[in-house]
Amino acid sequence: EVQLLESGGGLVQPGGSLRLSCAASGFTFSTYAMTWVRQAPGKGLEWVSAISASSGSTYYADSVKGRFTISRDNSKNTLYLQMNSLRAEDTAVYYCANKVGTNRFDSWGQGTLVTVSS
Amino acid sequence: QSALTQPASVSGSPGQSITISCTGTSSDVGGYNYVSWYQQHPGKAPKVMIYDVSNRPSGVSNRFSGSKSGNTASLTISGLQAEDEADYYCSSYTSSSTHWVFGGGTKLTVL
């Protein structure tokens, strides 16, 4: 059974940093592209970032480019999202998902809440 | 403002069929056969229901179907059931710098 478990969320002040982790199990992590999607409270889904299976390619939404960095450690079956210069509008539940093909976000974690507030 | 436009809400009675539209541009929905649909129940993670416009993942009921015409994709749910009540989001690959975009979501109410 595919399992994705996010962690690392919490309360952070504007301008601060946070690193999210997503521990994967139940599938061959190293062969799948991975992605982060967020959802602000009461709002819709917003794609944030993606990374290829080998880490050779990374992609970012314009809203986080230059502030967030996606990475992965295939030896640990773990996906990361380093978030710097956080803003109030980054407040959201952050989900990780494995990506199949071009636009199929297949299995999702339960999400981790990031709150940016003073 | 979301990149893809969906109706805020739709409703239907048990057993009926409903269709949710998702309108984009030639840079996303109209330009690629990479439209996906996700179902999200309150407090839960999204679940993929349709991918590549009209394909169903294993385990998804055949009551769910997808199609596309021009810049508009559609999700049709036939034989509505109470458990179908949820939020539905479309997604598309895009040639813009954003790479992937979602619609604003549609709340489905089963009357």
Side-chain angles (χ1 to χ4, degrees):
Chain A
E1 179 192 3
V2 173
Q3 287 198 343
L4 296 167
L5 185 62
E6 302 94 337
S7 60
L11 175 64
V12 61
Q13 292 188 339
S17 298
L18 214 53
R19 188 175 86 154
L20 305 183
S21 298
C22 170
S25 62
F27 66 104
T28 308
F29 179 74
S30 61
T31 64
Y32 282 80
M34 298 293 294
T35 191
W36 289 97
V37 176
R38 69 184 180 183
Q39 186 170 35
K43 302 297 185 181
L45 301 174
E46 179 187 13
W47 174 78
V48 173
S49 183
I51 187 168
S52 63
S54 64
S55 302
S57 298
T58 56
Y59 310 88
Y60 299 94
D62 290 341
S63 57
V64 306
K65 200 171 296 183
R67 300 187 299 122
F68 290 12
T69 302
I70 190 172
S71 62
R72 63 190 296 162
D73 186 336
N74 286 343
S75 69
K76 295 182 178 180
N77 290 348
T78 302
L79 173 72
Y80 303 100
L81 186 67
Q82 176 68 43
M83 305 186 295
N84 299 329
S85 303
L86 283 161
R87 307 166 179 167
E89 54 264 36
D90 296 318
T91 294
V93 172
Y94 285 73
Y95 296 100
C96 66
N98 59 357
K99 196 168 81 68
V100 178
T102 299
N103 189 40
R104 174 180 166 183
F105 304 146
D106 203 40
S107 296
W108 298 60
Q110 87 292 344
T112 186
L113 176 63
V114 172
T115 303
V116 184
S117 175
S118 55
Chain B
Q1 186 175 358
S2 301
L4 306 179
T5 301
Q6 299 180 232
S9 63
V10 298
S11 63
S13 299
Q16 288 186 331
S17 294
I18 63 94
T19 296
I20 300 172
S21 62
C22 170
T23 302
T25 69
S26 57
S27 296
D28 38 66
V29 173
Y32 306 93
N33 288 325
Y34 295 134
V35 176
S36 300
W37 289 91
Y38 299 86
Q39 176 192 65
Q40 186 180 36
H41 288 108
K44 301 295 186 182
K47 173 187 176 183
V48 60
M49 306 303 284
I50 296 289
Y51 67 97
D52 294 352
V53 176
S54 60
N55 293 299
R56 273 189 314 275
S58 173
V60 172
S61 171
N62 59 10
R63 298 186 298 106
F64 291 82
S65 62
S67 62
K68 189 185 85 167
S69 177
N71 296 336
T72 298
S74 299
L75 172 71
T76 297
I77 309 174
S78 60
L80 268 180
Q81 299 179 0
E83 67 209 48
D84 299 332
E85 187 164 291
D87 293 325
Y88 291 85
Y89 295 89
C90 62
S91 171
S92 175
Y93 177 78
T94 171
S95 59
S96 77
S97 58
T98 307
H99 302 292
W100 287 275
V101 289
F102 282 94
T106 299
K107 180 176 181 58
L108 169 62
T109 300
V110 180
L111 302 171

